[in-house]
């Protein structure tokens, strides 16, 4: 297994901004919205300010 190809568990604002083509403030707003949706769907999920779970983020990007 090549460690260089492993992606972090959480997505930060820089990756969100690059994926969506938005400013940092809008990137943080997207993360906050997705974190709230994720928490509403399953209150036991762990959320972190300024980051979003990669699996949930990638699923949400595919839905939109």
């Amino acid at each position: 297994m090549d460690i260089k190809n492993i992606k972090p568990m959480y997505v930060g604002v820089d990756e969100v901004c690059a994926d969506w083509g938005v400013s940092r403030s809008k990137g943080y707003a997207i993360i906050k919205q997705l974190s709230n949706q994720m928490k509403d769907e399953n209150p036991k999920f762990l959320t972190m300010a300024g980051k979003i779970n990669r699996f949930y983020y990638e699923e949400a990007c595919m839905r939109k």
Side-chain angles (χ1 to χ4, degrees):
M1 179 164 75
D2 189 8
I3 272 197
K4 293 178 186 175
N5 293 332
I6 295 176
K7 293 181 179 180
M9 181 73 112
Y10 287 87
V11 174
V13 70
D14 292 330
E15 190 170 342
V16 172
C17 291
D19 289 346
W20 293 82
V22 296
S23 66
R24 286 182 70 83
S25 62
K26 184 62 177 176
Y28 281 118
I30 291 170
I31 290 172
K32 185 173 183 174
Q33 179 182 358
L34 291 174
S35 291
N36 289 338
Q37 288 175 2
M38 185 176 75
K39 197 72 166 170
D40 288 343
E41 290 174 16
N42 189 341
K44 294 183 180 183
F45 280 176
L46 175 66
T47 59
M48 294 183 351
K51 295 193 181 275
I52 185 70
N53 179 284
R54 179 169 300 281
F55 298 114
Y56 190 82
Y57 173 73
E58 289 177 353
E59 180 183 303
C61 285
M62 297 303 274
R63 281 189 281 175
K64 295 185 180 205

